[in-house]
Amino acid sequence: MPSPSEIAATCLCFQTQRAARALARRFDAAFKPLGITNGQFSLIAMLSASDARRMKEIAPFLAMDRTTLTAVLKTLQRNGLVAIVPDPDDRRGRLVSLTARGRATFRKAAPIWRSEHCKLEAERPTLDGAALRAALRAIA
């Protein structure tokens, strides 16, 4: 039977979760002045690339279940950052798009995101960010 210290020292899932929480707290703090979280930023960034996206396309791209996505979208909609309308091609579906306020928030958030990445990589000069991103994409 593995000990808790062995699991903590060797488990990829455990270490990834710890790192993800630390990164999430860091980016949440950076985005706080804009009133968004790192998860909301990821969604806003995805939506910034098009006029509208179907909800059924967004969830798998962000590796979110639909319930979690719906909760995040409701908050963004309530804050005036996204609009959600019925899909004219499939009335059961919904189309999500950024509002003008959402696009303005993304324009303010993008430099913060870039700056935090630069700081993070400068703080850990031995970290090969490109290799780590590639390894994480391979797992996902």
Side-chain angles (χ1 to χ4, degrees):
M1 174 101 24
S3 69
S5 59
E6 177 189 359
I7 292 169
T10 63
C11 180
L12 290 172
C13 185
F14 177 78
Q15 292 299 331
T16 302
Q17 288 172 334
R18 287 189 70 206
R21 288 184 194 112
L23 287 170
R25 284 190 300 271
R26 181 181 183 133
F27 280 87
D28 282 347
F31 292 133
K32 188 173 184 169
L34 300 179
I36 62 172
T37 65
N38 76 87
Q40 292 168 339
F41 171 79
S42 296
L43 179 52
I44 289 169
M46 179 202 188
L47 293 172
S48 73
S50 66
D51 289 335
R53 294 278 199 140
R54 289 180 173 80
M55 280 185 63
K56 67 182 180 181
E57 299 167 350
I58 298 170
F61 180 83
L62 296 175
M64 281 183 172
D65 61 76
R66 298 252 337 222
T67 304
T68 302
L69 175 61
T70 299
V72 172
L73 285 171
K74 281 184 181 181
T75 300
L76 292 174
Q77 185 180 34
R78 186 174 51 247
N79 293 337
L81 302 177
V82 300
I84 304 170
V85 297
D87 183 342
D89 297 331
D90 179 359
R91 301 298 282 172
R92 296 168 296 165
R94 300 285 177 257
L95 293 176
V96 182
S97 60
L98 286 181
T99 62
R101 183 174 178 187
R103 290 194 183 281
T105 298
F106 178 68
R107 282 192 300 276
K108 292 175 189 170
I112 294 170
W113 169 83
R114 188 174 310 282
S115 173
E116 279 305 307
H117 271 275
C118 290
K119 288 178 195 173
L120 184 60
E121 291 191 19
E123 291 166 8
R124 289 161 179 79
T126 60
L127 177 69
D128 183 347
L132 178 57
R133 284 185 285 276
L136 291 171
R137 276 193 301 272
I139 291 170

